[in-house]
Amino acid sequence: MGVDRARLDLAGTRDFATAGAGQRRRARLTAYTRGVLTQVWQEAQPPAAGVALAVVGGIARGDSGPLSDYDVVLLHDGRGPHDLPGFADRVWYPLWDKGIRLDHSVRTPKQCRATAADDLTAAIGLLDIEHVNGDPLLVAQVRQDIAHDWRANSRRRLPELLESVQTRHRRHGDLTHDLEPDLKEAAGGLRDMTVLRALAATWLADRPHGAVDTAYARLLDVRDALHVVTGRGRDRLTRQEQDAVAALLGDDDADALLTSVVQAGRAIAHALEDTARRAGQSQRARTLRTGPRRPVLHPLGHGLYRHDGEVVLGRREVGGGGPLTVLRAAGAAARHGLPLGPATVANLTDPMPVPPAPWPEQVRETFVDLLAAGAGLPQVWETLDLAGVVGAWLPEWAAVRSRPQRNPVHRHTVDRHLVETVVRAAALRHRVRRPDLLLVAALLHDIGKIAGVHDHAVEGAPVAGNVARRMGYPPEDVRTVELLVREHLTAVDLATRRDPDDPATVHALVTAVAERADLLELLVALTEADALAAGPQAWTAWRAELVHRLAQHGRAALSGRHPAAPECVEPLGAQIRARVGAGAPYVLVTATASGAIVRIADRDRPGLFAHSAAVLASFGMTVRAARIRTTGGIAHNTWRVEAPLADLPDAEQLGRRLREGVPRRERATAPPRRAYGSPPSRATLVPAGSEDALVIEVCAQDRPGLLGDLGETFAAHRLAIRSAHVATYAGQTLDTFYAVPVDGRPPAPPEVARIIAALIDACDGAPAG
């Protein structure tokens, strides 16, 4: 099927960035659409009476996009001798010939009513039905019947409607989280506004206006621009179209576009949640009402009450009460997992109460109590943010509000990630002596993640310090918050990109926390909370183990104790030693939650690391870390790998392949062509990374066999790998190798440069040598 070029041309490309242009554009499109339908109707030679053409959906509401479907209903009274099939074809076929996507039906008013009773989607659509041509009384009858039935059956339909919304959200995602959002079907999308209108049509709740209408108009503008850019009636805003859509709308870049989409989605989602709750309350009140009844209030303290599933103000507190009342209400709601009622929020924020700087101690302590509330915090924080409280109290929040994170590890926008980190930190606060500073640092650790900033931790530290100072913390505490924000990535970077058992790595961690044990515990807790909030990829079992092992070494160093010896293969018995000496490797496979620990003992020789890596890769295992120890001419290699438990080879299979080599048919293929836009391969020497090893970081596009190729390159330059630390995200690998010269002589700078160049060539598929 073609494209309705006339409608697409009518949308134009010149006025998308002009204020109010969207509404005018959609009015033109609606008028054009009705004109097309009128022309087709007249040319189809309609019967004199008893037939009508009506529209539903976006055309009926006046907000259809340049390439949206035509949702059309041909109504008839069921009495006339009309050749309805023939007449319907004379209406539909000209529309199809124009390249119009058509959703059509032919029904009597009675059939419309029956269909709406059985089909929730049809009922919601028919609530918007509008007359175009023919008998207007038929359309009015359908509109009246559907609206009456919708209100009369609201007790049954409301739960059905809300269940369908949840199902759709699970299927299509969330506009406030997804980097490629579905503008129509996702939570907070255009379809939710249709549901909002349907809730209002029950007469159980009024639908909000103002901010939600502005948000809806923004999503319609983005949808329109997407249709024009792609030339298709698409609703998913994919990455490849975001730059063009942003340019058409006059946004600075794709991030600014996504930020506005997220903000619009948040407003719509919040309005839908509030309206659905209002409708449920009204329905329960109708069901229970047998006469005059007083509201049932359950006291929560400080003049706050739980009423009908919400936290509300008592009569004496209506009219505000200052910052402390806002925080107490928010804290009570978060601790009890309840929302703040809209009337309560309006009373608390009119006028907006802003604490003086520095904040009074009681305000600061109550704010920290809110942060410690746990899982109920995000919902309440969202309410406060949309009401303007967060921006008034923390002006720095505006720079990160709804800001997307184009990082495969993160699942939330920057501001939502900060709140989720606070929730995670609240569960860890028993580990530290200053839980208040942990929570404040968690709230502010990514406050520097704004446009144009290269190192958000460094840039964000003074910003966080200013906030802590405004909160009334003394200078020492302000410095602690600044340090935690500045170093919040240090522990996980050292643990996963360096050897956590190397004294130089431990020294770097201890230096980062100013050689203070209390700061070390705060940093470790913040690290874990940050990773848990980011998503499952950021806090895997192996990452957690490495961070906690490095932290244990740091504790030992700060207390003057010797750090625990790194784990290695258990001492080998005489029989196993004899077996290894005879050329048969010893292999032990221990399953873990995410894969396995593979321990290999074999005769020490150049290229053993590369050979072992190639064998593991041939079984489809992803290497996450490797450690090599050599004693008495026998290499003890410990590999941490990820693989489905069902695919794990046993020790005998691994041992056989270590002896016989990898079959040619199972060897890694040539490296793939570098993906467009991916960074070039690089290898970097880490200065002072270790006292007795060459530490080299390698970043490249990941591929099967890469680790083995790098191992062969080290062996070709007579370097033995002491340990390797591997991380892979979105097809990019960042590997850190601790290499020692086979002959014990450190390589000269020119030789180091040749090694670096050879590693880059190996990443790109050049043979070692």
Side-chain angles (χ1 to χ4, degrees):
M1 182 176 289
V3 173
D4 185 357
R5 299 300 314 181
R7 193 159 52 132
L8 190 60
D9 293 341
L10 186 65
T13 60
R14 291 179 299 175
D15 64 346
F16 271 80
T18 306
Q23 186 175 358
R24 294 191 297 271
R25 176 176 58 255
R26 287 183 285 275
R28 290 198 307 270
L29 290 171
T30 299
Y32 166 79
T33 302
R34 284 177 169 269
V36 168
L37 292 173
T38 297
Q39 180 183 358
V40 169
W41 172 269
Q42 292 170 347
E43 293 175 352
Q45 299 176 357
V51 180
L53 188 65
V55 290
V56 297
I59 299 175
R61 296 188 298 269
D63 59 19
S64 64
L67 293 176
S68 296
D69 295 357
Y70 279 31
D71 296 321
V72 184
V73 183
L74 183 59
L75 294 172
H76 64 99
D77 58 15
R79 295 193 299 266
H82 317 303
D83 178 19
L84 277 173
F87 175 65
D89 287 345
R90 294 197 299 273
V91 174
W92 308 148
Y93 276 95
L95 295 174
W96 285 326
D97 291 342
K98 292 177 179 291
I100 294 169
R101 294 187 305 176
L102 195 61
D103 186 356
H104 60 89
S105 61
V106 180
R107 295 190 179 111
T108 65
K110 184 177 180 180
Q111 289 171 335
C112 287
R113 198 169 189 177
T115 300
D118 295 334
D119 187 332
L120 178 67
T121 302
I124 295 173
L126 287 168
L127 285 170
D128 291 325
I129 193 166
E130 288 289 336
H131 172 264
V132 176
N133 291 105
D135 188 349
L137 294 180
L138 282 175
V139 181
Q141 180 183 348
V142 171
R143 183 166 54 243
Q144 180 178 339
D145 289 346
I146 298 299
H148 174 272
D149 292 349
W150 184 250
R151 291 191 295 271
N153 297 312
S154 60
R155 182 176 181 182
R156 173 176 64 88
R157 278 298 170 85
L158 183 59
E160 184 183 358
L161 175 63
L162 298 182
E163 175 63 28
S164 72
V165 168
Q166 293 173 1
T167 300
R168 173 168 52 83
H169 290 174
R170 286 192 296 267
R171 183 181 302 121
H172 295 283
D174 192 327
L175 205 67
T176 66
H177 297 165
D178 296 342
L179 289 176
E180 294 187 323
D182 187 322
L183 299 173
K184 185 175 184 180
E185 305 291 353
L190 297 171
R191 183 78 73 187
D192 279 358
M193 277 297 289
T194 303
V195 175
L196 197 60
R197 281 187 288 267
L199 285 171
T202 64
W203 291 1
L204 293 170
D206 294 330
R207 96 162 179 82
H209 293 276
V212 70
D213 290 331
T214 302
Y216 184 54
R218 175 59 179 175
L219 291 188
L220 290 174
D221 286 347
V222 175
R223 188 272 320 271
D224 292 353
L226 180 61
H227 286 192
V228 171
V229 164
T230 62
R232 298 178 182 273
R234 293 177 176 173
D235 296 311
R236 184 169 293 279
L237 184 61
T238 58
R239 296 184 191 219
Q240 57 263 35
E241 278 102 29
Q242 288 173 8
D243 286 330
V245 171
L248 185 57
L249 291 169
D251 293 335
D252 291 339
D253 53 27
D255 279 358
L257 167 68
L258 274 186
T259 296
S260 72
V261 168
V262 170
Q263 289 176 338
R266 290 172 62 185
I268 292 173
H270 190 72
L272 177 58
E273 181 182 348
D274 269 356
T275 305
R277 195 166 60 249
R278 295 272 84 72
Q281 291 169 344
S282 296
Q283 191 176 74
R284 287 191 296 275
R286 287 183 181 180
T287 303
L288 298 174
R289 187 175 297 137
T290 57
R293 53 190 293 268
R294 300 180 62 183
V296 179
L297 301 176
H298 301 273
L300 300 175
H302 298 290
L304 300 164
Y305 298 86
R306 175 169 59 85
H307 169 60
D308 208 358
E310 295 178 341
V311 171
V312 300
L313 289 171
R315 184 170 299 176
R316 293 181 180 178
E317 283 71 28
V318 170
L324 206 54
T325 303
V326 172
L327 291 173
R328 284 170 174 165
R335 284 190 296 274
H336 290 85
L338 299 171
L340 285 168
T344 298
V345 174
N347 278 315
L348 289 171
T349 58
D350 185 18
M352 180 66 68
V354 180
W359 293 4
E361 183 177 1
Q362 192 175 14
V363 170
R364 183 177 71 246
E365 290 176 349
T366 310
F367 180 77
V368 171
D369 289 343
L370 170 62
L371 298 183
L377 176 65
Q379 179 187 32
V380 173
W381 189 273
E382 179 79 348
T383 299
L384 296 179
D385 196 15
L386 291 174
V389 175
V390 175
W393 292 27
L394 304 174
E396 298 83 356
W397 198 261
V400 297
R401 181 182 291 112
S402 302
R403 184 166 182 78
Q405 303 199 72
R406 298 183 183 274
N407 183 316
V409 171
H410 282 281
R411 56 186 171 181
H412 297 300
T413 55
V414 177
D415 58 334
R416 179 59 184 266
H417 170 70
L418 292 174
V419 177
E420 292 289 342
T421 303
V422 174
V423 173
R424 298 289 187 168
L428 304 175
R429 65 188 188 276
H430 63 281
R431 297 185 188 175
V432 300
R433 280 190 275 178
R434 289 296 303 274
D436 58 329
L437 298 184
L438 171 64
L439 295 172
V440 170
L443 182 67
L444 302 173
H445 74 278
D446 277 349
I447 201 69
K449 196 174 278 188
I450 60 177
V453 168
H454 175 67
D455 189 334
H456 73 275
V458 171
E459 296 289 340
V463 178
N466 288 337
V467 175
R469 194 174 295 109
R470 190 165 65 248
M471 288 180 175
Y473 279 106
E476 179 65 22
D477 290 347
V478 171
R479 286 191 292 271
T480 295
V481 171
E482 287 185 344
L483 182 145
L484 291 173
V485 172
R486 184 173 60 251
E487 305 292 345
H488 75 268
L489 297 174
T490 298
V492 71
D493 282 350
L494 289 174
T496 58
R497 295 167 60 180
R498 302 285 184 271
D499 184 348
D501 299 320
D502 191 292
T505 306
V506 179
H507 176 72
L509 175 65
V510 170
T511 301
V513 296
E515 301 184 356
R516 285 175 50 183
D518 60 328
L519 293 185
L520 174 60
E521 299 307 327
L522 281 167
L523 182 61
V524 171
L526 177 59
T527 299
E528 183 171 343
D530 184 18
L532 287 169
Q537 293 186 61
W539 196 245
T540 58
W542 75 272
R543 278 184 154 235
E545 181 180 348
L546 292 175
V547 168
H548 289 310
R549 194 160 91 222
L550 175 60
Q552 191 61 33
H553 291 332
R555 295 184 189 100
L558 289 172
S559 65
R561 296 181 285 108
H562 293 292
E567 82 174 293
C568 59
V569 174
E570 295 83 354
L572 301 179
Q575 185 177 1
I576 297 177
R577 277 186 162 280
R579 175 182 172 182
V580 173
Y586 166 76
V587 180
L588 178 64
V589 179
T590 305
T592 64
S594 58
I597 296 176
V598 179
R599 294 181 172 88
I600 300 173
D602 204 349
R603 290 181 297 108
D604 188 30
R605 60 189 184 277
L608 177 59
F609 175 89
H611 178 58
S612 301
V615 167
L616 296 174
S618 72
F619 283 101
M621 289 186 278
T622 301
V623 175
R624 287 305 187 191
R627 171 167 295 285
I628 294 87
R629 290 283 183 267
T630 303
T631 55
I634 297 179
H636 306 253
N637 296 357
T638 303
W639 301 80
R640 301 175 190 277
V641 300
E642 288 186 355
L645 292 179
D647 296 340
L648 281 178
D650 57 30
E652 183 178 350
Q653 290 174 296
L654 280 172
R656 185 185 311 115
R657 190 157 291 185
L658 284 167
R659 292 192 304 272
E660 300 172 358
V662 180
R664 181 178 298 276
R665 67 179 182 276
E666 297 184 26
R667 292 177 186 171
T669 58
R673 185 186 301 272
R674 182 182 299 133
Y676 175 76
S678 63
S681 304
R682 63 176 176 84
T684 308
L685 178 70
V686 179
S690 176
E691 296 179 358
D692 55 1
L694 204 63
V695 182
I696 297 177
E697 279 189 353
V698 177
C699 182
Q701 184 174 341
D702 193 27
R703 59 177 171 84
L706 174 60
L707 200 57
D709 290 348
L710 293 173
E712 289 181 2
T713 303
F714 280 109
H717 288 80
R718 299 188 58 75
L719 289 172
I721 296 175
R722 189 184 77 188
S723 66
H725 310 272
V726 183
T728 304
Y729 298 109
Q732 291 290 310
T733 183
L734 180 59
D735 303 341
T736 306
F737 299 92
Y738 284 66
V740 294
V742 173
D743 57 12
R745 291 183 299 177
E751 177 62 17
V752 172
R754 285 192 288 273
I755 294 168
I756 295 293
L759 290 170
I760 294 174
D761 288 342
C763 292
D764 296 334

